[in-house]
Amino acid sequence: MATAVRNSTLAFHAGHLRTNPRAGSALERVRNRTANIAILGLGHVGLPTALNFCEMGWQVLGADSSPEILEILRRGDVPFYERGLQELLTKHLGLKFHVVDDLGAAIRQATVLFICVGTPQRENGEANLSQVESVARSIASNLNDYKLVVGKSTVPAITAQWVRRTIQRYSHAHDNGAIEFVEPEFDVASSPEFLREGAALHDLLHPDRIVCGIESDVARDILQEIYKTTNAPILVTETSTAELIKHAANSFLSMKISFINMVADLCEAVGADVDKVADGIGMDPRIGPGFLKAGIGFGGYCFPKDLRAFIHLAEDYGLEFPLLREVININELRAESFLKKVRRALWVVQGKTIGVLGLAFKPGTDDTRESPSMRIVHALLEQGAILQLHDPKAIPNLRTNFPEREHEFVYCDDPYQAARRAHALLLLTDWPEYKSLDLDRIRNFMEVPVVVDGRNIFEPTSMENAGFEYYSIGR
Ligand code: UGA
């Protein structure tokens, strides 16, 4: 198994490109499409990535540590909602996509291994990399041939180098426990994923860019071969830079959102319109129009966690990042400032029936992790409101994890039911279907026609003309 021999002192990346004698035949197998790809971790990144590789013609082995996820997939169902994913699973399951119980088997049968496991946050904000380490150790004990190990999960800089170290350490121990270090044949790389939940398959098919952090020529050539059918520019860097690009991108995007949210407050104070301000500044190509939508703040599994992990990484190296702390602070105050609007509209919240449209952290997903809508829902319940909740996708999961409580909150099958006899209707997720609601019907259903729009879905004038008392953000 192991061929190259070198000193047991492990040096982190020293700027040179590595060579592996057996890597050449791996590259050949990738070029002629006989190599398999393994996706280790089948969550919101792993599963769409796996099925996208199937679409590109690869044979893909998918493994996950959760028996429930494997069971759901084996039945032919997707474990979470993502547009188009069910269709792709149905198309490829058992043909190009193989669900594998045994992580070791997936590793042994594949040449290119993508690590897509979760990197949740610890209480202090640091990324918990135990799942990454565990996969690296499994790789170490299943190195039957050259492997390219590619990190796709969002991780702090130098994780790839720790993955390399871990594989070296444990394959060494597994090999023969000898004192002399025997280097197994593999390369590590980092190719962070930039897909958005709710648009995952679109983003995989049409990426803006592909970042390949590599430390060998072969790793670069293999990744370029794999990605050559996407027309995106490929940026080749070393691994830590690639990892940092992902954290910096998510932090920058969150910063844009917190910035526009502060501007929204100022617009409200002076009577300006934040949507127009966003249009006006977004026309400057140096700023760009994206991620300037004011609202109740950002949520989801990525931005809040990645911001904290990035700050923690900086602090680990003795650097403060107060700018990003402020991005988080501003975001955390959004829910409270929205609740103030609700109180201003209703005066007394206790005992009022409130319809809530949108529970997922954004449209296109059933994910409610760190959803600002859920934060608002919990606060309103604490204040004694009676809630009628609607979301086009999130309710089936919520029914299990956050079951209905009589006289406190119910789930509704459609938005009109949520508006029935309500004293206010809150718009918390900008699902496209809410834009085309029959407003006359909504108004007729409501006890008092008050709408508080946390996503600026509607125009103030048309809502007033439609007979609503309408509140929105920064206008
Ligand atoms: C984000 C990044 O956009 C992806 O590039 C990245 O790959 C992903 O994190 C990840 O790290 O895995 P995602 O969390 O799926 O993707 O969702 P976004 O579309 O970025 O939205 C995040 C939050 O920001 C949502 O709550 C959304 O409502 C909010 N948002 C977004 C705003 O409040 N205003 C905006 O202008 C844009």
Side-chain angles (χ1 to χ4, degrees):
M1 175 186 85
T3 49
V5 178
R6 62 181 196 128
N7 191 293
S8 64
T9 316
L10 293 175
F12 271 2
H13 181 61
H16 64 282
L17 293 182
R18 299 166 185 277
T19 51
N20 278 299
R22 272 190 267 160
S25 61
L27 176 59
E28 252 342 280
R29 288 200 302 283
V30 170
R31 283 198 172 128
N32 62 33
R33 289 282 197 279
T34 53
N36 294 330
I37 290 179
I39 303 291
L40 312 176
L42 295 171
H44 288 271
V45 169
L47 186 58
T49 302
L51 293 170
N52 185 55
F53 280 138
C54 296
E55 281 288 283
M56 289 157 81
W58 296 96
Q59 283 290 330
V60 178
L61 303 149
D64 196 283
S65 59
S66 156
E68 292 82 37
I69 288 186
L70 296 177
E71 176 52 33
I72 293 170
L73 288 170
R74 230 181 241 115
R75 279 205 313 263
D77 296 328
V78 289
F80 52 86
Y81 175 74
E82 179 66 57
R83 198 179 333 138
L85 205 60
Q86 180 64 65
E87 290 79 351
L88 283 194
L89 180 69
T90 307
K91 179 172 169 191
H92 294 297
L93 186 65
L95 299 169
K96 284 194 155 56
F97 181 53
H98 310 276
V99 180
V100 183
D101 276 322
D102 175 8
L103 185 68
I107 294 165
R108 289 192 300 278
Q109 289 168 46
T111 302
V112 187
L113 316 173
F114 284 94
I115 301 181
C116 299
V117 295
T119 53
Q121 59 182 319
R122 293 189 192 281
E123 244 169 48
N124 63 358
E126 168 189 26
N128 179 346
L129 299 172
S130 57
Q131 293 181 51
V132 176
E133 190 199 38
S134 160
V135 166
R137 290 180 66 166
S138 301
I139 294 171
S141 32
N142 288 285
L143 272 184
N144 56 341
D145 199 352
Y146 171 86
K147 311 281 171 196
L148 174 59
V149 181
V150 190
K152 257 212 174 297
S153 313
T154 304
V155 291
I158 82 156
T159 297
Q161 295 186 29
W162 272 109
V163 168
R164 153 172 293 289
R165 250 190 169 188
T166 305
I167 298 174
Q168 283 171 330
R169 264 184 193 162
Y170 290 95
S171 57
H172 174 216
H174 163 79
D175 209 22
N176 51 18
I179 293 161
E180 185 180 46
F181 179 75
V182 181
E183 187 175 9
E185 280 197 46
F186 69 95
D187 280 305
V188 294
S190 165
S191 180
E193 182 49 63
F194 299 100
L195 67 77
R196 295 160 300 166
E197 278 183 37
L201 295 175
H202 170 274
D203 290 352
L204 283 163
L205 270 178
H206 309 284
D208 307 313
R209 78 296 204 189
I210 307 269
V211 173
C212 294
I214 50 103
E215 45 178 43
S216 82
D217 284 337
V218 167
R220 182 198 53 223
D221 294 348
I222 288 178
L223 287 174
Q224 280 181 339
E225 185 64 34
I226 286 177
Y227 289 128
K228 78 175 181 198
T229 48
T230 65
N231 286 325
I234 298 182
L235 177 68
V236 179
T237 68
E238 47 77 47
T239 53
S240 298
T241 304
E243 290 163 335
L244 211 123
I245 285 171
K246 175 62 198 274
H247 263 154
N250 275 6
S251 302
F252 194 86
L253 292 171
S254 332
M255 187 177 72
K256 281 186 94 177
I257 300 170
S258 279
F259 176 82
I260 202 67
N261 281 334
M262 281 310 299
V263 174
D265 289 353
L266 197 52
C267 285
E268 261 174 51
V270 304
D273 179 336
V274 71
D275 288 347
K276 302 248 161 47
V277 174
D279 288 346
I281 62 175
M283 282 172 186
D284 182 333
R286 293 169 301 174
I287 297 174
F291 282 70
L292 288 177
K293 187 121 189 45
I296 55 173
F298 56 79
Y301 188 63
C302 302
F303 282 177
K305 161 179 91 71
D306 292 349
L307 273 167
R308 290 184 199 113
F310 204 35
I311 293 170
H312 196 277
L313 175 74
E315 286 173 353
D316 247 7
Y317 286 86
L319 301 165
E320 290 288 317
F321 217 147
L323 174 66
L324 294 188
R325 286 210 177 279
E326 203 42 42
V327 170
I328 295 179
N329 290 341
I330 292 168
N331 195 54
E332 285 179 351
L333 291 173
R334 295 313 290 168
E336 190 37 50
S337 91
F338 182 80
L339 286 162
K340 261 192 210 143
K341 258 188 220 296
V342 175
R343 282 195 294 272
R344 231 177 284 140
L346 286 180
W347 186 33
V348 174
V349 166
Q350 189 175 10
K352 295 270 163 62
T353 299
I354 299 179
V356 173
L357 301 187
L359 303 168
F361 82 96
K362 59 180 269 185
T365 177
D366 58 0
D367 196 345
T368 54
R369 289 176 295 177
E370 298 229 20
S371 168
S373 320
M374 293 308 291
R375 199 181 294 176
I376 289 164
V377 162
H378 287 292
L380 288 171
L381 287 173
E382 264 169 37
Q383 290 168 31
I386 299 146
L387 303 184
Q388 302 180 155
L389 308 174
H390 177 264
D391 187 280
K393 294 290 173 198
I395 290 177
N397 285 343
L398 283 171
R399 274 192 201 282
T400 317
N401 304 324
F402 185 48
E404 280 181 336
R405 294 204 295 255
E406 213 185 332
H407 309 305
E408 288 187 48
F409 69 93
V410 290
Y411 293 115
C412 304
D413 293 334
D414 66 62
Y416 301 98
Q417 219 180 313
R420 197 179 290 271
R421 288 191 286 276
H423 298 96
L425 188 65
L426 314 183
L427 284 143
L428 301 186
T429 312
D430 40 350
W431 284 96
E433 39 271 69
Y434 294 154
K435 290 195 178 113
S436 50
L437 285 173
D438 177 343
L439 293 174
D440 285 340
R441 205 169 150 214
I442 290 276
R443 197 195 51 245
N444 290 336
F445 269 133
M446 293 181 72
E447 177 84 22
V448 185
V450 169
V451 169
V452 191
D453 181 353
R455 298 290 184 180
N456 290 359
I457 290 176
F458 297 113
E459 281 307 315
T461 337
S462 50
M463 288 302 278
E464 276 146 30
N465 291 343
F468 289 96
E469 189 180 321
Y470 177 72
Y471 302 84
S472 59
I473 307 284
R475 316 185 284 185

